[in-house]
Amino acid sequence: MKRRTFLQGSLAASAAASLPRFAVAQPASVLKFIPGASLAILDPIANTSAPTRLHGFMVYDTLYGLDSNFAPQPQMAEGHEVSADGLDWTIKLRDGLFFHDGEPVRAKDVVASLNRWSKRDTFGKTLFSRTNELLAVDDKTVRFRLKRPFALLPAALGKVGSNIAVIMPERLALTDPSKAVTEVIGSGPFSFVAKDYSPGALVAYEKFKKYTPRASGEVGFSSGPKTVHFDRVEWHVIPDGSTALAAIQSGEMDWWESPLPDFLPIVQGNPSMKIVPAGGQVMFLRLNHLYPPFNNPEIRRILLSCIDRKSIMQAVGGGGEWRDDIGLYLGSMKTDAGIKEAFRGRTDFDNVKSELAAAGYKGERMVMLVGTDTPRNLAASQVAESTFKKMGLNVDFQSLDWGTVSQRRASMEPPEKGGWACFFVGADSEYFLDPATNFLARANGRDGWFGWPDSSRIEQLTEEWFNSTDVAAQKEIASQIQLQAWKDIPYVPIGEVQAPGLARSNLQGFAPGFAKFWGVKRT
């Protein structure tokens, strides 16, 4: 299949010259941002989509944050003390913490929030499986009483991959974790402007004047002082890439989160614009393990053997920086175990069809959810669709906006009742560092992330990894998890692409990693 035809080389350059022009000159107090996808779900506990995570870090705060080396640092916490036996963690809240409704942040809010988070997040479930009790000692002190030592406690509470352990008022944190809260109240540097929210079009935030940044530390992925320089931040959803580019070029918009790689050469050398460095993004395919065809492990393995990762990443990354040789982990637990054997890029499709039939495939409809307003997801889906059809799979390519996909993927209903079989999506590379952060590699059934893979062996190995304190032993266990993953296939890692943003050159103060709106200012 041809790569996105509307972005072919010189056509993109020539199109830029004829794009519509927008009004320019933004007020110094307003920052206008183009997100990579629309914000459909406002609760970062109830949903794990990238826009929801981004929204979560604007409105809410966490007890710990991660610095630029992914090490946890106190954020809402002033600090902590650990008992000699490692079983009691006492965490003190720092001074000056208030919710957007004016109420001070209290320990009871923290307890309720973390209890709710632990019902949804895999890292949180691991932490709480080792916890006897979490209690509020007084208004500014919480205490974890553990069943066994767990040195990763701050890392769990400060993780930047969804679900993030945000703190909200107790009255909201008592909401069923499977349902989104009905009111957006956090203690973060921005407050959500509910009256201006227009799903699929506009999201607005205002500087929270009672927010007190930390007095020390460096700005990292989510740690350090969160100093706000704008009175208002607006997210303007512009699905069409050419229109988004025109808005940035003219100055109508300030910052574009996810420009297509084909557009970046157009603006290079333009003194009014700059590239915003960002981390990598991993593209992956998620399969639904509950219903045919992918409830059958043999069919999943046949699919894996035919996936053409290079072609998909060429479509996703274009002329930018990308690779297609990744396994489950990108950090210290990285391993090559079984990659070449699992990803064979088969093209003997007559044999594949025979193997699928022998494995029990009966032509069941393969409902593929495709976010057409997220170009990378769309490009990956289009290339893979061609391969799937050559394999003889009955592909039902359903074109939707990403907001709809992010809601529908939560359905456990069969495909004929609104369910699904697979979807492509990207997630920031920091989700994939090790077995603690990579929730996609978990296989805890209906307690897990959308797709609900179930593998007792993967879960057993993951538990062994958490229990080990020896790095060499952990690396060996990580290799075993990866080898088992090529048999059970909780998800299919496709590749990693560098995903820089684009902004007006008069903006500075960008923090590393995903888009953050504190520290950014106009010169």
Side-chain angles (χ1 to χ4, degrees):
M1 171 170 281
K2 293 183 179 179
R3 198 171 169 271
R4 299 184 302 269
T5 55
F6 62 92
L7 293 177
Q8 290 176 343
S10 61
L11 291 179
S14 61
S18 59
L19 293 173
R21 296 292 135 191
F22 292 78
V24 296
Q26 295 308 309
S29 60
V30 179
L31 176 69
K32 294 192 175 184
F33 174 75
I34 306 172
S38 61
L39 176 67
I41 305 295
L42 302 176
D43 184 347
I45 299 302
N47 192 273
T48 59
S49 71
T52 301
R53 191 271 296 259
L54 207 62
H55 157 84
F57 273 110
M58 293 192 73
V59 173
Y60 300 96
D61 214 344
T62 53
L63 289 184
Y64 294 83
L66 297 190
D67 63 22
S68 56
N69 295 313
F70 298 104
Q73 304 293 339
Q75 189 59 32
M76 294 176 72
E78 183 63 38
H80 61 256
E81 294 181 356
V82 185
S83 62
D85 60 7
L87 296 180
D88 281 7
W89 288 67
T90 302
I91 302 172
K92 288 279 189 181
L93 297 177
R94 65 183 176 92
D95 293 333
L97 299 178
F98 290 91
F99 287 117
H100 300 154
D101 60 4
E103 287 293 314
V105 177
R106 300 181 175 91
K108 66 178 183 178
D109 303 306
V110 173
V111 170
S113 296
L114 295 183
N115 277 322
R116 183 170 187 259
W117 164 75
S118 73
K119 305 294 193 302
R120 298 287 303 207
D121 183 73
T122 54
F123 204 169
K125 290 175 183 178
T126 299
L127 167 60
F128 273 68
S129 72
R130 290 160 166 74
T131 301
N132 271 324
E133 185 180 25
L134 171 60
L135 67 156
V137 177
D138 55 43
D139 277 353
K140 296 196 65 176
T141 311
V142 298
R143 180 172 296 146
F144 278 89
R145 290 178 172 165
L146 304 180
K147 300 174 184 177
R148 65 179 76 170
F150 192 65
L152 293 175
L153 186 149
L157 300 182
K159 65 194 292 282
V160 296
S162 296
N163 304 89
I164 50 177
V166 300
I167 306 303
M168 58 183 64
E170 180 189 43
R171 62 185 175 84
L172 298 176
L174 295 176
T175 303
D176 183 336
S178 65
K179 299 177 181 178
V181 294
T182 57
E183 188 178 1
V184 182
I185 299 292
S187 64
F190 293 93
S191 60
F192 175 71
V193 185
K195 66 181 179 60
D196 291 345
Y197 177 49
S198 178
L202 175 67
V203 191
Y205 304 89
E206 292 178 349
K207 178 180 179 179
F208 180 40
K209 295 181 179 179
K210 294 190 71 172
Y211 182 80
T212 303
R214 288 194 68 85
S216 61
E218 295 183 0
V219 175
F221 281 93
S222 60
S223 66
K226 296 181 178 180
T227 304
V228 174
H229 299 284
F230 290 93
D231 293 331
R232 180 178 169 94
V233 173
E234 296 177 355
W235 294 10
H236 292 263
V237 180
I238 306 178
D240 179 72
S242 296
T243 305
L245 177 62
I248 290 288
Q249 286 180 313
S250 69
E252 171 68 10
M253 295 292 151
D254 295 299
W255 182 6
W256 187 5
E257 181 185 18
S258 301
L260 297 171
D262 306 74
F263 283 159
L264 296 180
I266 298 173
V267 302
Q268 288 178 345
N270 185 335
S272 67
M273 307 179 73
K274 65 167 48 173
I275 304 297
V276 180
Q281 189 172 75
V282 170
M283 294 301 303
F284 64 91
L285 172 65
R286 189 66 167 184
L287 306 175
N288 190 334
H289 287 233
L290 298 183
Y291 301 104
F294 298 127
N295 63 337
N296 184 324
E298 183 58 31
I299 292 177
R300 297 197 299 268
R301 287 190 282 269
I302 294 171
L303 180 81
L304 188 70
S305 73
C306 295
I307 290 286
D308 184 351
R309 299 206 292 179
K310 182 176 182 179
S311 292
I312 294 173
M313 291 309 299
Q314 283 177 330
V316 168
E321 185 179 347
W322 56 267
R323 61 194 183 107
D324 64 337
D325 59 348
I326 66 172
L328 299 187
Y329 310 118
L330 301 178
S332 61
M333 296 294 121
K334 178 182 176 182
T335 172
D336 294 330
I339 292 177
K340 289 184 178 179
E341 295 80 5
F343 292 95
R344 292 183 282 158
R346 295 175 59 186
T347 57
D348 56 330
F349 294 118
D350 287 339
N351 291 334
V352 168
K353 292 175 183 177
S354 298
E355 291 175 19
L356 285 172
Y361 181 60
K362 297 179 174 61
E364 292 94 346
R365 189 164 56 101
M366 176 182 159
V367 176
M368 189 175 183
L369 304 182
V370 182
T372 56
D373 57 343
T374 48
R376 291 190 182 97
N377 300 345
L378 174 59
S381 301
Q382 289 173 329
V383 174
E385 179 194 22
S386 176
T387 298
F388 296 158
K389 287 183 174 180
K390 290 175 183 177
M391 292 173 61
L393 294 169
N394 179 16
V395 181
D396 182 0
F397 190 97
Q398 297 200 4
S399 299
L400 307 163
D401 64 89
W402 184 248
T404 300
V405 173
S406 66
Q407 296 179 67
R408 186 169 162 185
R409 65 185 180 178
S411 173
M412 290 187 180
E413 293 294 331
E416 61 270 18
K417 293 185 178 180
W420 54 277
C422 67
F423 62 84
F424 279 92
V425 68
D428 291 344
S429 297
E430 55 262 30
Y431 283 51
F432 301 88
L433 300 178
D434 54 38
T437 61
N438 188 352
F439 61 87
L440 294 162
R442 297 294 297 269
N444 50 343
R446 291 176 180 262
D447 287 334
W449 199 66
F450 316 120
W452 310 284
D454 194 343
S455 168
S456 59
R457 180 58 178 158
I458 287 179
E459 287 302 294
Q460 176 190 356
L461 289 168
T462 303
E463 184 72 8
E464 291 177 11
W465 187 90
F466 275 113
N467 290 337
S468 176
T469 57
D470 179 77
V471 174
Q474 286 184 322
K475 287 184 176 180
E476 174 56 31
I477 296 169
S479 292
Q480 294 179 42
I481 294 173
Q482 181 161 296
L483 288 172
Q484 188 64 38
W486 305 144
K487 298 177 182 179
D488 297 326
I489 313 176
Y491 76 103
V492 182
I494 303 299
E496 183 184 28
V497 61
Q498 295 304 305
L502 184 62
R504 301 293 298 177
S505 58
N506 63 353
L507 289 182
Q508 64 179 26
F510 297 100
F514 63 90
K516 288 170 279 288
F517 300 87
W518 53 85
V520 178
K521 58 185 176 181
R522 204 187 312 274
T523 58

